[in-house]
Amino acid sequence: MTQTTAHGVVSSRDTDVEEPYSNPHVVNPMAEVISKRLATLANAPIGRRQALRGLGALTAISVLPTLGAVGAAGKAMAATNPSTLSFKEIPHLMDQDHHVAEGYHAGVLIRWGDPVLPEAPAFDPTHLTAAAQLKQFGYNNDFLGYFPLERGSNNSSHGLLTINHEYVDRKLMWSGQDPEGIDSQTEEQINVEMAAHGHSVIEVKRDGDLWSVVPNSRYARRISTLETEIRVSGPAAGHDRLKTSADPTGTRVIGTLQNCAGGVTPWGTVLIAEENFDRYFNGATLPPAEERNYKRLGINGKPDYGWYRFHPRFDVAKEPNEPNRFGWMVEFDPYDPTSVPVKRTALGRFKHEGANVIINHDGRLAVYAGDDERFEFVYKFITKNKVDLANPAANKDLLDEGTLYVGKFAADGTLAWLPLVFGQGPLTPENDFHSQADVVIEARRAASLMGATPMDRPEDVEPNPVTASIFMALTNNTKRKAEQVDAANPRATNEHGHVLEMVPPGGKGRAAKHEADLFTWNIFVLCGNPAKPEDGARYHPATSEHGWLSCPDNVAFDPRGRLWISTDGATKFGYADGLWAADVEGEGRALTRHFYATPTGAEMCGPFLTPDGTTMFCCVQHPGDDKDSTFDAPSTRWPDFKEGMPPRPSVVFITRKGGGEIGG
């Protein structure tokens, strides 16, 4: 999600002015072969079945012809609309408001500063305090999950929403704030920032086409970086590398950072990701024992936040192990506001975009996750024990035991899952791995040594509950050179990104064997403008001029198994980020259609549907985060449009007027 750093530089996951990638093990195995093969296949339509049979990644790249090549045939096909999605597309556009397809209602549910906890004060943008923010809705909402009430039901009109708060935009939070002025911030401003990070739980109800927040709910909760205690579990819990002066046990951490995407479990808990945590740690001189580890994760002595000035734990010179306590997946029970969140270290430590799950054919749980940075990897985790759906409490430590794997994509259309297990392959004392704790703490280095495929920023990785195949959003990678392309990342200077499908053996649904060491894979879409041959974009031939997209970020599935894609970076190409949808099977496969557009400067995050598919919840993050936009002169005042009120990150609900499923 786009971020403005403390030094005034746009440091985003979709732009090029971001910290250099830190993976020193990028390989260049397929450049010449791929480039020649792509040129040969440029106008050669190849059937989807061939790709799904694993007849080669080079074939899989060409599942569909380029839109620009189909001409009259594509226009004729578009007229008949082979898609199961019946809504009328909205055009590419960008202005101060949000927009949704005709026949739908998009309403604002909750905004930054709105009450979450009882006795929360009214939002006053001219007088922000940490005490108030700890009771109010946090900033820059990202992932959200819907949990029906009562627990275990499929109630689609009354439930809980769990929402991440990833980071803050200080230039839009305070009047006159210098984006470069982390050294001039007051302690109170720093504490407000820390309170605005974390997570919120709210209770929501539907009435007709509208949703509202239930005030003073017994479920309401704020989790913050400032004061929430979190337990550490799994192989790294209690390890010397996690011990600090404040926590000599290495098992208790205050807060969670950069909570980006996430996931929900079958037993009713939420998983929230810790992503770009490196941006919070000061320390020009890194501790020798952790220097390689910290550099691999981007800690460079140039933090984007000045928290270390008042909270010494964010200064590695004073607390050399503190960064090892972040970069994990965090689990907690939203139905119990007293539950202690837990960092599940068995899932590995890296810049987690999220973690999404599916029950395997044998009853165990499969967890899929991406490491959102250029040239990083995709992971899966298979639990040791089975899910007990009849007894949710029996699953409370399920994610502490299992096997973590990393993906290696081959040009023949196969995907090998390589186990990250201490003592296997290069993960031995000779390479400074002395336990499974070392493996998960340095999951990136372990994955590199195993020979995993460096990807074009793996963001959301999510199983389709209908087909059981896994879709991965690869947002972009403009740093990939021509000699670095490979089968799964086939474009140099990939500014638009792509969506990749991974197919486990065994069959659809619960027949799928997620524990298998070998999958097949194909590229679902290559994003970009199909009217520009230089983009190399590939979609269904009936895709309209507004149906193409750029920089896929989060994905979701409706009850029919159709794919919904949110974007982060389309604004570079002159239109707003938003939401697109497509069938994944049948005649309309990969025919992406434009459904929703955010206000200027914003990004679309965390699409999530109710069990019956009649409501889409989503997050509008950093509205107004345009160049030269400030608290006093913002590029939009969405969603309030009141003088003196800054733009406010918000949760949006989308319903179909008069009822019915989203998408048609």
Side-chain angles (χ1 to χ4, degrees), residues 153-169:
S153 73
N154 286 318
N155 192 341
S156 294
S157 59
H158 184 200
L160 304 177
L161 282 186
T162 63
I163 308 107
N164 278 348
H165 301 293
E166 186 180 8
Y167 71 101
V168 297
D169 274 310

Side-chain angles (χ1 to χ4, degrees), residues 208-495:
D209 293 338
L210 306 181
W211 284 81
S212 60
V213 177
V214 176
N216 302 318
S217 169
R218 66 185 180 93
Y219 299 104
R221 185 175 189 180
R222 276 298 326 277
I223 292 171
S224 79
T225 314
L226 187 62
E227 63 175 23
T228 304
E229 185 174 273
I230 298 178
R231 182 169 66 87
V232 182
S233 71
H239 194 277
D240 286 346
R241 297 175 73 177
L242 269 69
K243 294 177 180 178
T244 65
S245 59
D247 174 32
T249 70
T251 61
R252 297 278 171 172
V253 180
I254 300 300
T256 177
L257 276 176
Q258 277 276 324
N259 301 109
C260 187
V264 301
T265 69
W267 54 92
T269 59
V270 61
L271 298 171
I272 60 177
E274 296 185 324
E275 195 189 26
N276 295 311
F277 61 92
D278 56 301
R279 293 170 173 166
Y280 297 79
F281 287 96
N282 187 53
T285 302
L286 300 177
E290 299 293 351
E291 183 174 8
R292 176 178 56 192
N293 170 24
Y294 290 172
K295 284 184 176 179
R296 186 73 172 81
L297 285 154
I299 296 173
N300 58 11
K302 299 177 181 178
D304 298 330
Y305 296 84
W307 297 2
Y308 66 92
R309 296 174 49 237
F310 302 102
H311 298 271
R313 65 190 178 110
F314 293 103
D315 190 335
V316 296
K318 298 176 180 178
E319 287 292 354
N321 286 341
E322 190 72 18
N324 282 334
R325 294 148 66 83
F326 296 91
W328 307 104
M329 290 302 306
V330 183
E331 180 184 15
F332 76 94
D333 183 354
Y335 293 100
D336 179 5
T338 66
S339 64
V340 177
V342 184
K343 299 198 178 192
R344 301 293 185 188
T345 66
L347 299 179
R349 174 172 168 268
F350 44 86
K351 294 183 180 180
H352 284 273
E353 171 74 14
N356 291 284
V357 310
I358 190 168
I359 297 178
N360 197 31
H361 71 98
D362 61 5
R364 293 183 293 166
L365 194 73
V367 186
Y368 291 92
D371 184 352
D372 182 13
E373 195 164 78
R374 300 182 182 100
F375 299 111
E376 291 303 336
F377 310 121
V378 60
Y379 298 82
K380 79 171 180 180
F381 180 82
I382 305 295
T383 60
K384 176 183 176 181
N385 299 314
K386 296 180 180 180
V387 179
D388 187 346
L389 293 177
N391 182 14
N395 305 297
K396 69 181 184 68
D397 295 321
L398 186 70
L399 297 176
D400 285 342
E401 293 185 274
T403 303
L404 181 65
Y405 299 84
V406 68
K408 183 174 184 177
F409 295 81
D412 65 356
T414 58
L415 163 61
W417 290 104
L418 311 173
L420 300 180
V421 177
F422 171 66
Q424 295 187 16
L427 309 184
T428 61
E430 288 76 15
N431 288 310
D432 294 328
F433 294 101
H434 301 279
S435 67
Q436 187 63 20
D438 289 328
V439 172
V440 295
I441 290 169
E442 295 189 74
R444 278 186 170 182
R445 186 167 70 91
S448 291
L449 290 173
M450 290 294 293
T453 302
M455 307 297 289
D456 286 350
R457 286 185 56 205
E459 296 219 34
D460 220 0
V461 185
E462 189 156 342
N464 186 322
V466 176
T467 68
S469 63
I470 300 93
F471 285 75
M472 173 167 52
L474 295 154
T475 296
N476 54 34
N477 184 358
T478 58
K479 303 303 183 184
R480 188 177 290 275
K481 299 176 182 178
E483 65 270 18
Q484 294 174 321
V485 303
D486 58 44
N489 304 276
R491 292 184 293 187
T493 317
N494 180 12
E495 61 182 352

Side-chain angles (χ1 to χ4, degrees), residues 35-59:
S35 60
K36 289 181 178 178
R37 185 64 170 142
L38 279 175
T40 302
L41 295 173
N43 295 302
I46 294 177
R48 168 178 176 264
R49 290 186 180 88
Q50 288 177 291
L52 292 182
R53 288 173 187 154
L55 295 185
L58 298 178
T59 298

Side-chain angles (χ1 to χ4, degrees), residues 472-530:
M472 173 167 52
L474 295 154
T475 296
N476 54 34
N477 184 358
T478 58
K479 303 303 183 184
R480 188 177 290 275
K481 299 176 182 178
E483 65 270 18
Q484 294 174 321
V485 303
D486 58 44
N489 304 276
R491 292 184 293 187
T493 317
N494 180 12
E495 61 182 352
H496 292 289
H498 53 291
V499 178
L500 187 147
E501 181 182 22
M502 300 171 283
V503 186
K508 291 185 178 181
R510 283 295 296 270
K513 297 180 178 180
H514 293 274
E515 85 285 3
D517 293 333
L518 199 65
F519 286 21
T520 58
W521 66 270
N522 66 87
I523 291 179
F524 182 69
V525 294
L526 286 171
C527 300
N529 186 347

